Protein backbone atom coordinates (compact mmCIF):
# COMPACT_ATOMS: atom_id res chain seq x y z
CA UNK A 1 0.00 0.00 0.00
CA UNK A 2 1.30 3.43 -0.97
CA UNK A 3 1.77 5.44 2.18
CA UNK A 4 3.70 7.95 4.23
CA UNK A 5 4.60 6.58 7.65
CA UNK A 6 5.38 8.83 10.58
CA UNK A 7 6.53 7.74 14.00
CA UNK A 8 5.69 8.18 16.75
CA UNK A 9 2.03 9.25 16.66
CA UNK A 10 2.24 10.81 20.10
CA UNK A 11 5.28 12.14 21.93
CA UNK A 12 5.60 13.90 25.26
CA UNK A 13 9.02 15.22 26.16
CA UNK A 14 10.76 17.82 28.27
CA UNK A 15 12.45 21.04 27.27
CA UNK A 16 15.91 20.52 25.85
CA UNK A 17 15.76 16.77 25.27
CA UNK A 18 16.70 16.03 21.67
CA UNK A 19 14.15 14.10 19.66
CA UNK A 20 13.62 12.78 16.15
CA UNK A 21 10.37 12.20 14.33
CA UNK A 22 10.78 9.73 11.51
CA UNK A 23 9.07 9.88 8.13
CA UNK A 24 9.24 7.29 5.38
CA UNK A 25 7.45 6.98 2.04
CA UNK A 26 7.25 3.98 -0.27
CA UNK A 27 6.18 5.74 -3.48
CA UNK A 28 9.60 6.75 -4.80
CA UNK A 29 8.61 10.39 -4.43
CA UNK A 30 11.21 13.09 -4.97
CA UNK A 31 9.55 15.82 -2.92
CA UNK A 32 9.12 15.58 0.85
CA UNK A 33 8.08 18.18 3.36
CA UNK A 34 7.35 18.78 7.02
CA UNK A 35 4.48 20.92 8.30
CA UNK A 36 3.24 21.94 11.67
CA UNK A 37 -0.43 22.55 12.31
CA UNK A 38 -1.59 24.91 15.03
CA UNK A 39 -5.14 26.13 15.79
CA UNK A 40 -5.98 29.21 13.75
CA UNK A 41 -2.71 29.12 11.84
CA UNK A 42 -3.37 26.29 9.41
CA UNK A 43 -0.42 24.37 7.98
CA UNK A 44 2.98 25.99 8.09
CA UNK A 45 5.90 24.51 6.23
CA UNK A 46 9.02 23.81 8.27
CA UNK A 47 11.43 22.30 5.76
CA UNK A 48 11.17 20.66 2.38
CA UNK A 49 13.35 18.55 0.15
CA UNK A 50 13.19 18.47 -3.63
CA UNK A 51 15.39 15.36 -3.80
CA UNK A 52 18.10 13.42 -2.01
CA UNK A 53 20.68 15.65 -0.32
CA UNK A 54 18.66 18.77 -1.20
CA UNK A 55 16.82 20.49 1.63
CA UNK A 56 15.47 24.02 2.04
CA UNK A 57 13.88 26.10 4.75
CA UNK A 58 10.16 26.64 4.73
CA UNK A 59 8.25 29.35 6.56
CA UNK A 60 9.07 28.32 10.14
CA UNK A 61 12.43 26.50 10.22
CA UNK A 62 13.81 27.87 13.50
CA UNK A 63 14.54 25.15 16.03
CA UNK A 64 14.30 22.31 13.53
CA UNK A 65 16.71 20.28 11.42
CA UNK A 66 16.15 17.76 8.66
CA UNK A 67 18.21 15.43 6.53
CA UNK A 68 17.57 13.59 3.27
CA UNK A 69 20.23 10.93 2.91
CA UNK A 70 17.90 8.46 1.20
CA UNK A 71 14.98 9.11 -1.08
CA UNK A 72 12.43 7.40 1.15
CA UNK A 73 13.33 8.93 4.52
CA UNK A 74 13.05 12.50 5.77
CA UNK A 75 13.46 12.73 9.56
CA UNK A 76 12.64 15.86 11.54
CA UNK A 77 15.06 16.64 14.35
CA UNK A 78 14.49 18.92 17.30
CA UNK A 79 17.90 19.43 18.89
CA UNK A 80 16.60 21.31 21.94
CA UNK A 81 12.80 21.31 22.02
CA UNK A 82 10.93 24.15 23.65
CA UNK A 83 7.28 24.46 24.71
CA UNK A 84 6.47 26.64 21.68
CA UNK A 85 7.19 23.61 19.51
CA UNK A 86 4.23 21.81 20.99
CA UNK A 87 2.16 21.13 17.90
CA UNK A 88 0.79 18.60 15.45
CA UNK A 89 3.37 17.68 12.83
CA UNK A 90 2.79 16.22 9.38
CA UNK A 91 5.16 14.75 6.88
CA UNK A 92 4.11 14.77 3.22
CA UNK A 93 5.51 13.61 -0.09
CA UNK A 94 4.77 13.91 -3.79
CA UNK A 95 6.34 13.34 -7.18
CA UNK A 96 7.38 16.99 -7.12
CA UNK A 97 9.79 18.33 -9.70
CA UNK A 98 7.93 19.36 -12.82
CA UNK A 99 4.83 17.42 -11.84
CA UNK A 100 2.87 20.47 -10.71
CA UNK A 101 -0.36 18.51 -10.70
CA UNK A 102 1.00 15.93 -8.30
CA UNK A 103 -0.87 16.00 -4.99
CA UNK A 104 0.74 15.63 -1.61
CA UNK A 105 0.42 12.40 0.33
CA UNK A 106 0.35 12.96 4.08
CA UNK A 107 1.29 10.88 7.05
CA UNK A 108 -1.12 10.52 9.96
CA UNK A 109 0.65 13.09 12.06
CA UNK A 110 2.73 13.27 15.22
CA UNK A 111 1.30 15.12 18.20
CA UNK A 112 4.23 16.54 20.15
CA UNK A 113 3.98 18.01 23.62
CA UNK A 114 7.01 19.73 25.15
CA UNK A 115 6.78 20.49 28.86
CA UNK B 1 4.24 34.64 -5.60
CA UNK B 2 1.19 32.53 -4.99
CA UNK B 3 -1.27 32.73 -2.13
CA UNK B 4 -4.55 31.20 -1.05
CA UNK B 5 -7.38 32.74 0.95
CA UNK B 6 -10.12 30.65 2.47
CA UNK B 7 -13.04 32.77 3.59
CA UNK B 8 -14.43 31.65 6.91
CA UNK B 9 -12.48 29.61 9.41
CA UNK B 10 -15.71 27.84 10.35
CA UNK B 11 -18.76 27.00 8.27
CA UNK B 12 -21.84 25.50 9.89
CA UNK B 13 -24.61 23.75 7.95
CA UNK B 14 -27.51 21.47 8.68
CA UNK B 15 -27.49 17.90 7.48
CA UNK B 16 -28.93 17.83 3.96
CA UNK B 17 -28.08 21.46 3.24
CA UNK B 18 -25.75 22.78 0.57
CA UNK B 19 -22.09 22.97 1.48
CA UNK B 20 -20.08 25.90 0.07
CA UNK B 21 -16.45 26.42 1.11
CA UNK B 22 -14.73 29.37 -0.49
CA UNK B 23 -11.21 29.55 -1.85
CA UNK B 24 -9.56 32.40 -3.71
CA UNK B 25 -6.04 32.27 -5.03
CA UNK B 26 -3.43 34.52 -6.51
CA UNK B 27 -0.91 33.20 -8.97
CA UNK B 28 1.24 34.71 -11.67
CA UNK B 29 0.53 31.80 -14.00
CA UNK B 30 -2.40 29.44 -14.52
CA UNK B 31 -2.43 27.51 -11.28
CA UNK B 32 -2.83 23.95 -10.22
CA UNK B 33 -5.44 23.85 -7.46
CA UNK B 34 -6.25 21.27 -4.85
CA UNK B 35 -8.72 20.64 -2.07
CA UNK B 36 -7.69 18.41 0.81
CA UNK B 37 -9.79 17.09 3.68
CA UNK B 38 -8.63 16.29 7.19
CA UNK B 39 -10.87 14.09 9.32
CA UNK B 40 -10.34 14.13 13.10
CA UNK B 41 -7.07 12.55 14.18
CA UNK B 42 -5.98 11.90 10.62
CA UNK B 43 -3.65 13.38 8.05
CA UNK B 44 -4.83 15.31 5.03
CA UNK B 45 -6.08 13.45 1.99
CA UNK B 46 -6.79 14.65 -1.51
CA UNK B 47 -10.41 15.52 -2.21
CA UNK B 48 -10.00 16.79 -5.76
CA UNK B 49 -7.67 18.75 -8.01
CA UNK B 50 -7.79 21.06 -11.01
CA UNK B 51 -4.97 20.98 -13.52
CA UNK B 52 -6.18 21.87 -17.02
CA UNK B 53 -9.25 21.20 -19.10
CA UNK B 54 -12.74 20.98 -17.62
CA UNK B 55 -13.31 23.71 -15.07
CA UNK B 56 -15.80 21.70 -13.03
CA UNK B 57 -13.92 19.04 -11.13
CA UNK B 58 -15.56 16.15 -9.32
CA UNK B 59 -13.96 14.61 -6.27
CA UNK B 60 -14.62 11.95 -3.70
CA UNK B 61 -17.67 11.78 -1.42
CA UNK B 62 -19.86 13.87 -3.73
CA UNK B 63 -17.77 17.03 -3.58
CA UNK B 64 -16.99 19.17 -6.59
CA UNK B 65 -15.24 22.45 -7.28
CA UNK B 66 -15.34 24.92 -10.11
CA UNK B 67 -12.30 26.80 -11.37
CA UNK B 68 -13.23 30.37 -12.30
CA UNK B 69 -10.24 32.17 -13.73
CA UNK B 70 -12.00 35.53 -13.95
CA UNK B 71 -12.82 35.40 -10.25
CA UNK B 72 -9.57 33.63 -9.24
CA UNK B 73 -11.72 31.23 -7.27
CA UNK B 74 -11.95 27.50 -6.69
CA UNK B 75 -14.92 27.07 -4.37
CA UNK B 76 -15.84 23.63 -3.04
CA UNK B 77 -19.46 22.51 -3.00
CA UNK B 78 -21.61 19.55 -2.11
CA UNK B 79 -25.36 19.55 -2.73
CA UNK B 80 -26.32 17.78 0.48
CA UNK B 81 -24.22 17.68 3.63
CA UNK B 82 -23.82 14.51 5.62
CA UNK B 83 -22.72 14.20 9.22
CA UNK B 84 -19.61 12.37 8.05
CA UNK B 85 -18.52 15.47 6.09
CA UNK B 86 -17.58 17.24 9.33
CA UNK B 87 -13.87 17.87 8.92
CA UNK B 88 -11.21 20.49 8.18
CA UNK B 89 -10.87 21.45 4.53
CA UNK B 90 -7.77 23.00 2.98
CA UNK B 91 -7.37 24.67 -0.39
CA UNK B 92 -3.89 24.67 -1.95
CA UNK B 93 -2.18 26.03 -5.05
CA UNK B 94 1.07 25.12 -6.76
CA UNK B 95 2.93 25.87 -9.94
CA UNK B 96 3.42 29.62 -9.72
CA UNK B 97 6.82 30.94 -10.71
CA UNK B 98 7.92 27.53 -11.89
CA UNK B 99 7.97 26.22 -8.33
CA UNK B 100 6.29 23.02 -7.24
CA UNK B 101 6.09 24.05 -3.57
CA UNK B 102 2.42 24.09 -2.54
CA UNK B 103 0.84 27.01 -0.72
CA UNK B 104 -2.06 26.22 1.61
CA UNK B 105 -4.96 28.27 2.85
CA UNK B 106 -5.58 28.38 6.59
CA UNK B 107 -8.35 25.84 6.41
CA UNK B 108 -12.10 25.85 6.99
CA UNK B 109 -13.72 23.72 9.63
CA UNK B 110 -17.05 22.32 8.41
CA UNK B 111 -19.58 21.69 11.16
CA UNK B 112 -22.66 19.65 10.29
CA UNK B 113 -25.72 19.84 12.56
CA UNK B 114 -28.30 17.06 12.67
Amino acid sequence: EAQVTQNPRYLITVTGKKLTVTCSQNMNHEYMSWYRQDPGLGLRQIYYSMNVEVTDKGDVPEGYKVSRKEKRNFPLILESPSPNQTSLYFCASSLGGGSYNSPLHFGNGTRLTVT
Amino acid sequence: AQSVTQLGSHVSVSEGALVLLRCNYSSSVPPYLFWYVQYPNQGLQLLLKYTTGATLVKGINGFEAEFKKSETSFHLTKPSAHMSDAAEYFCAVTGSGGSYIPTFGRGTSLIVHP
Side-chain angles (χ1 to χ4, degrees):
Chain A
E1 179 189 355
Q3 59 185 358
V4 177
T5 303
Q6 282 181 242
N7 280 298
R9 286 294 306 274
Y10 301 91
L11 180 57
I12 301 173
T13 190
V14 296
T15 299
K17 186 176 182 180
K18 181 180 179 180
L19 66 90
T20 300
V21 183
T22 63
C23 174
S24 180
Q25 51 93 5
N26 62 0
M27 295 167 281
N28 201 35
H29 283 167
E30 290 189 352
Y31 180 88
M32 297 187 75
S33 182
W34 277 102
Y35 296 88
R36 60 178 289 173
Q37 183 179 20
D38 302 288
L41 298 178
L43 288 171
R44 294 182 291 169
Q45 190 176 50
I46 303 171
Y47 271 94
Y48 65 93
S49 170
M50 300 298 283
N51 213 327
V52 177
E53 301 292 359
V54 180
T55 62
D56 279 294
K57 295 178 180 179
D59 300 318
V60 289
E62 294 78 19
Y64 304 95
K65 286 177 55 178
V66 293
S67 68
R68 187 92 183 273
K69 297 177 181 177
E70 308 163 282
K71 200 169 190 178
R72 63 183 294 123
N73 296 322
F74 191 47
L76 179 69
I77 303 159
L78 284 70
E79 295 270 2
S80 183
S82 63
N84 65 11
Q85 293 178 299
T86 292
S87 187
L88 179 59
Y89 292 86
F90 288 102
C91 180
S93 73
S94 77
L95 288 172
S99 302
Y100 297 130
N101 62 349
S102 174
L104 285 167
H105 296 253
F106 285 82
N108 282 328
T110 295
R111 186 167 293 281
L112 172 65
T113 302
V114 183
T115 61
Chain B
Q2 59 193 16
S3 65
V4 176
T5 302
Q6 290 184 239
L7 293 176
S9 59
H10 294 82
V11 169
S12 181
V13 300
S14 298
E15 192 172 20
L18 171 71
V19 175
L20 171 60
L21 305 183
R22 300 179 187 273
C23 173
N24 288 88
Y25 69 91
S26 68
S27 174
S28 58
V29 298
Y32 297 89
L33 295 157
F34 305 81
W35 274 101
Y36 292 87
V37 59
Q38 182 185 25
Y39 298 106
N41 298 315
Q42 295 185 26
L44 284 72
Q45 58 184 275
L46 181 69
L47 200 55
L48 50 80
K49 67 178 182 181
Y50 168 78
T51 54
T52 57
T55 56
L56 183 61
V57 181
K58 295 187 184 299
I60 61 173
N61 300 336
F63 283 91
E64 60 184 33
E66 185 172 11
F67 171 62
K68 292 187 176 180
K69 185 178 179 180
S70 62
E71 298 178 7
T72 61
S73 68
F74 191 55
H75 301 332
L76 182 70
T77 61
K78 182 174 180 178
S80 177
H82 192 272
M83 296 296 290
S84 60
D85 294 325
E88 189 87 14
Y89 292 80
F90 292 91
C91 182
V93 62
T94 189
S96 179
S99 170
Y100 169 76
I101 303 166
T103 298
F104 283 85
R106 288 197 170 190
T108 298
S109 178
L110 177 64
I111 302 161
V112 182
H113 297 287

